[in-house]
Amino acid sequence: MASGVKPRVKVPKKAAAGEAVTIKTLISHKMESGQRKDKEGNVIPRSIINRFTCEFNGAMVIDVTMEPAISTNPYVEFEATVPEAGDFKFTWYDDDGSVYDESKSIKIA
Amino acid sequence: MEFSRRETLAMGLGAAVLTALPFRVIAAAEDKIAEFTGGADLADTGVELTAPEIAENGNTVPISVNAPGATAILVLATGNPTPGVATFNFGPGAASQSASTRIRLAGTQDVVAVAKLADGSFAKASAAVKVTIGGCGG
């Protein structure tokens, strides 16, 4: 599924050095669980985002393995430490092999 | 549908076991936990799982987990067709070992979080969620 997938990320524009910032991420994706059936009774094949990662300047912040029990439009909120100015890199991995990227830079106030 | 004497006894026994152990998770979920912990013992403190007591819509149930110092947290929904929900692995850039997300629940059940703590031990927390409308289609 490559249509209508749009990652959205909320990161503060600046932070004090060493401060913990809250990051909210959401990607629009239908997250078809593979449990549902269509009108003819055929199982709708599974199609989900199975992994989400966030890195800051190359250091891993969080790596989430997702299963079909994650809701439509998977939302993840977590906290990261900002030791210096740099870039957050967010990556989502789709079942069909697609990879969705997003990055946000943060300054030191 | 008629039950034989043997089946009735078996059901009664099953019900008794369930009542005696309210936090007992179903076998599939136990397998998942064993796979994650390698069969290690589970402590009761060290991980926190926040979930609503009543969820009107099983399609999006907000949950959050928090386990200070943990390296990984496994979340399971014991009453779902497949119990796995998510595994959070925390790296050196994480400020706190906590995360929130939204999950699907098929019906009223226990949600379980198992954390791998910094010293290699494991902790478990569970929360009972009442679901009004299940979220796995039908």
Side-chain angles (χ1 to χ4, degrees), chain B residues 18-45:
Chain B
L18 281 175
T19 322
L21 298 164
F23 290 107
R24 188 169 176 84
V25 291
I26 61 166
E30 275 189 351
D31 288 349
K32 278 268 188 185
I33 293 175
E35 196 182 301
F36 183 68
T37 61
D41 286 342
L42 300 167
D44 286 335
T45 55

Side-chain angles (χ1 to χ4, degrees), chain B:
Chain B
M1 194 175 175
E2 279 188 32
F3 296 108
S4 69
R5 181 170 177 271
R6 185 173 296 177
E7 280 167 343
T8 314
L9 278 173
M11 283 197 306
L13 200 67
V17 167
L18 281 175
T19 322
L21 298 164
F23 290 107
R24 188 169 176 84
V25 291
I26 61 166
E30 275 189 351
D31 288 349
K32 278 268 188 185
I33 293 175
E35 196 182 301
F36 183 68
T37 61
D41 286 342
L42 300 167
D44 286 335
T45 55
V47 58
E48 221 175 277
L49 171 68
T50 314
E53 228 168 86
I54 297 175
E56 279 182 14
N57 183 355
N59 267 313
T60 56
V61 182
I63 61 147
S64 62
V65 287
N66 180 20
T71 54
I73 303 177
L74 171 76
V75 181
L76 298 171
T78 56
N80 275 7
T82 53
V85 174
T87 311
F88 299 93
N89 296 294
F90 299 99
S96 67
Q97 282 67 37
S98 64
S100 324
T101 188
R102 297 178 189 144
I103 67 170
R104 288 183 179 134
L105 296 175
T108 299
Q109 59 181 279
D110 289 334
V111 179
V112 175
V114 180
K116 185 179 186 186
L117 303 175
D119 59 2
S121 66
F122 293 89
K124 182 183 151 191
S126 69
V129 182
K130 288 197 174 92
V131 177
T132 317
I133 303 169
C136 284

Side-chain angles (χ1 to χ4, degrees), chain A residues 80-98:
Chain A
T81 318
V82 185
E84 74 255 334
D87 298 313
F88 280 105
K89 188 166 178 288
F90 305 91
T91 319
W92 290 263
Y93 300 85
D94 198 308
D95 264 356
D96 67 7
S98 313

